[in-house]
Amino acid sequence: MNNPLLANFTTPFETAPFDKIKNEDFLPAIKKAIKLAKTEISSIKSEPLPTFENTVEALDLAGKKLNVISSIFFNLNSAETNEEIQKLAREISPLLTEYSNDILLDKELYERISQVFNQKEELNLSPEQKTLLEKSYKSFVRNGAKLSDEDASTLRKIDQELAQKSLQFGENVLAETNKYVHFVESEDLLAGLPDSIKEAAAQIAEEKGKPGQWAFTLAYPSYIPAMTYLKNRSLRKELFIAYNTKSSKGDDLDNQETIKSILKLRDQRAKLLGYQSHAHFVLEERMAKSPQAVMDFLKNMLVKAKPKAEQEVAELEAYAQRLDDLDRLEKWDFAFYSELLKKEKYELDDELLRPYFQLKNVINGVFQTAEKLYGLQFIPNPDIPVYHPDVTAYEVKNQEGKHISVFYADFFPRAGKRNGAWMTSFKGQFQSHGQDHRPHVSIVCNFTKPTKSKPSLLTFNEVTTLFHEFGHALHGMLANGHYETLSGTSVYWDFVELPSQIFENWCYEKECLDLFARHYETGEKIPEKLIERIKKAANFQQGYQTVRQLSFGLLDMAYHNQDPARIQDIFDFEKTVMKQTELLPDVPGTLMSTSFSHIFQGGYSAGYYSYKWAEVLDADAFELFQENGVFDPETAESFQKNILSAGGSEHPSVLYKRFRGREPKPDALLRRAGLIN
């Protein structure tokens, strides 16, 4: 039987043949692709004399088929999973870990790389080739190539177990999210909820078999509006506690022991490789370089942000007291009273803005912004197969009509999709034998679905989320390197958020909003007075939001910068660490660590600080756009050439200085957040 994953893809642009792939195709395809990749590795080792071309470049090109198949599989496991795929992931993950270890612990291969590395000064390499050589050499050393056979065997076991524990963590969070539904029988309990959200809640109840009722889930488009608008305080509390106790209830879906295992394994791995902690291991290959530098950065930001945050919370407490005689502001009250206060201070709220942000128009706005900056055009292509009817596939061309990328957009929540928003790719960009292989990039979000009477209307926060993920997508789509491991988003982790976070800035600019922000019923442009209010409200509770982000970064570092044997109780540990950033009364029994997927399932362990770190870069970089004009072609061309297309071809600080003309300064971020004048 022909396996569509192993055949040459005959789809447009050799895209994934989702219409032909069955779940049972994955395991045999992965096994066959691993065999093929190992054959390619053997032929590298059989070359008599190691050179940059026959060893380092050849290694970068090895295993391309395996990369594509595993990307398809793991992207489906995030965006369109089911029990069968999750079971397969538990089988496939160890195979890929073993394959990776077979390469990185191969003494013969390491010896060849070392020989080339030791001659690097005589080889007349380009900056990109030098980067590839250094990255290849370091990846062997950092993954155990110098270990004894016994230690290498231990490392293999650790990596296998880590892969499984990480999958388990994610599966538990998804199962907890899908399991929870809160039904409401009386419409009186929904006071304050906008009609559009009420209609969406009725639609969920109907889908869950209870027509005539309203239902709330822990998916973002259901949970966030409920916390923001519901006047019923006890209902808000009920939802808040459900959301903040995910995978911490002592049952089969509890992640506390999983966290301890992950931390222990990461620490063992780091120590085996000669590092003081997992954080020391990770940060060696980051702009920040060390745990001390990260802690200094986070604590310095906290000193600046916390006084402002405390003022903001005191102001909100006084407001809630004046409005509703509230004796104590709790965590489940924060979003509700914040929205009311924002409305009073700036005559602005999400429901006032929503009609101007129809999803279809915002997507067009994102495309037009990319066209004005980088000359890109997005053409829907129904011939490209997709993995779910909600997904739309586009061909991306530049202004000369040249093919640049395939782009997939997937916007609505469903049972098989994890919460949140992310960018990913099904195929990376690289060059070989004179051919430029263009990338296949995807963004996945969880926005409010259309209802029977209304299209999908976004909150302003969702608009910035879409721009954020699209910024990552541009980094992938405009990649223009020779080597896939240095191309697109394959950059230092504390640099990867720059393209996404800078793109959010355009949402606040009139020139950009005028492209797409139109009332979905009347077609009128968003009024200038609303744009002014959006800009004024941009600093609203920035102190609080900054402290919140810093609290996650500090928690991440606390987990990964010490001996995990000292962490006896996850509840106690989290509370102790979070005390320094706590602005509202603690809610006993709640725990965010057990659903902190960024650090226990995604790639952000010892790296959550990157969001704030990259904000320094994005605010500083965007000031150059503001000085020259937000659609200035020369500034855009420089950003594309030096940041987006350059990928990880050189050290990020070199690339950033080439764009900005100097080192980044934190002043722009502090000004933007209203933390300094």
Side-chain angles (χ1 to χ4, degrees), residues 84-112:
E84 195 182 346
I85 287 179
Q86 289 175 7
K87 182 173 178 286
L88 276 169
R90 290 193 285 275
E91 285 184 76
I92 287 169
S93 202
L95 296 178
L96 293 172
T97 303
E98 187 180 0
Y99 162 73
S100 172
N101 280 333
D102 283 346
I103 293 174
L104 293 166
L105 294 169
D106 186 321
K107 300 274 193 239
E108 204 183 325
L109 201 51
Y110 168 62
E111 196 47 51
R112 291 183 68 92

Side-chain angles (χ1 to χ4, degrees), residues 488-509:
T489 56
S490 299
V491 299
Y492 278 13
W493 212 266
D494 43 11
F495 194 61
V496 80
E497 294 297 332
L498 167 59
S500 56
Q501 289 180 186
I502 196 173
F503 206 61
E504 290 180 40
N505 288 281
W506 273 269
C507 302
Y508 296 88
E509 299 296 326

Side-chain angles (χ1 to χ4, degrees), residues 95 119 150 185 206 211 272 316 378 384 443 560 634:
L95 296 178
Q119 310 162 32
E150 189 186 342
E185 292 180 24
E206 196 172 318
L272 195 61
L316 195 65
F378 293 78
I384 295 174
I443 61 175
H560 292 111
E634 281 181 31

Side-chain angles (χ1 to χ4, degrees), residues 302 315 384 422 446 540 619:
L302 187 59
E315 179 189 31
I384 295 174
W422 63 94
N446 282 278
F540 180 62

Side-chain angles (χ1 to χ4, degrees), residues 145-243:
K146 289 183 170 181
L147 295 177
S148 68
D149 290 347
E150 189 186 342
D151 285 346
S153 171
T154 305
L155 187 80
R156 283 175 181 275
K157 286 187 194 129
I158 289 171
D159 285 347
Q160 290 283 9
E161 214 176 324
L162 265 173
Q164 294 291 11
K165 293 290 180 189
S166 172
L167 278 174
Q168 186 63 55
F169 185 95
E171 284 172 18
N172 288 350
V173 175
L174 183 64
E176 274 274 58
T177 304
N178 287 339
K179 189 172 80 164
Y180 182 88
V181 191
H182 183 88
F183 292 99
V184 174
E185 292 180 24
S186 166
E187 196 170 353
D188 296 346
L189 297 174
L190 304 180
L193 209 61
D195 289 342
S196 59
I197 305 298
K198 217 184 277 186
E199 191 181 348
Q203 194 164 297
I204 294 169
E206 196 172 318
E207 286 164 8
K208 305 270 183 198
K210 295 204 176 179
Q213 293 189 26
W214 296 265
F216 296 94
T217 71
L218 301 181
Y220 284 3
S222 178
Y223 175 74
I224 300 293
M227 297 308 294
T228 308
Y229 298 112
L230 278 173
K231 282 186 180 173
N232 187 305
R233 199 178 181 207
S234 60
L235 185 47
R236 288 201 311 268
K237 180 180 178 180
E238 150 78 32
L239 293 169
F240 175 87
I241 287 173
Y243 191 89

Side-chain angles (χ1 to χ4, degrees), residues 457-653:
L457 302 174
L458 304 189
T459 64
F460 185 68
N461 194 37
E462 288 174 321
V463 174
T464 60
T465 297
L466 178 49
F467 270 73
H468 178 102
E469 298 309 333
F470 195 79
H472 280 309
L474 286 169
H475 203 184
M477 290 187 274
L478 289 167
N480 193 28
H482 283 87
Y483 310 115
E484 189 171 355
T485 51
L486 301 177
S487 166
T489 56
S490 299
V491 299
Y492 278 13
W493 212 266
D494 43 11
F495 194 61
V496 80
E497 294 297 332
L498 167 59
S500 56
Q501 289 180 186
I502 196 173
F503 206 61
E504 290 180 40
N505 288 281
W506 273 269
C507 302
Y508 296 88
E509 299 296 326
K510 184 180 187 305
E511 283 174 78
C512 179
L513 288 167
D514 280 347
L515 297 174
F516 67 91
R518 294 176 183 275
H519 198 286
Y520 79 101
E521 287 174 319
T522 65
E524 94 170 291
K525 270 188 184 179
I526 188 167
E528 200 160 334
K529 65 180 182 189
L530 278 187
I531 297 176
E532 283 309 307
R533 287 182 209 164
I534 287 171
K535 284 190 148 183
K536 278 183 184 157
N539 276 347
F540 180 62
Q541 292 178 340
Q542 268 302 301
Y544 176 86
Q545 295 303 339
T546 300
V547 170
R548 187 171 176 272
Q549 279 288 80
L550 294 173
S551 74
F552 299 154
L554 288 162
L555 181 63
D556 170 33
M557 289 305 291
Y559 273 127
H560 292 111
N561 191 28
Q562 66 166 300
D563 181 355
R566 292 166 58 189
I567 302 170
Q568 297 298 314
D569 183 287
I570 299 295
F571 273 96
D572 289 347
F573 183 78
E574 179 176 302
K575 300 299 175 209
T576 305
V577 175
M578 296 295 235
K579 211 163 186 55
Q580 62 191 314
T581 52
E582 203 67 87
L583 295 163
L584 291 162
D586 177 47
V587 182
T590 57
L591 191 63
M592 69 87 60
S593 295
T594 47
S595 59
F596 198 174
S597 298
H598 272 78
I599 68 169
F600 293 119
Q601 183 196 8
Y604 279 85
S605 63
Y608 198 87
Y609 76 92
S610 305
Y611 284 104
K612 268 286 163 247
W613 186 276
E615 272 189 60
V616 169
L617 302 179
D618 100 66
D620 187 62
F622 190 65
E623 278 200 348
L624 189 61
F625 277 99
Q626 288 175 310
E627 287 161 21
N628 299 334
V630 293
F631 287 114
D632 175 59
E634 281 181 31
T635 313
E637 188 185 346
S638 172
F639 192 76
Q640 178 178 339
K641 181 183 165 192
N642 294 308
I643 307 293
L644 299 175
S645 296
S649 58
E650 293 181 74
H651 194 282
S653 56

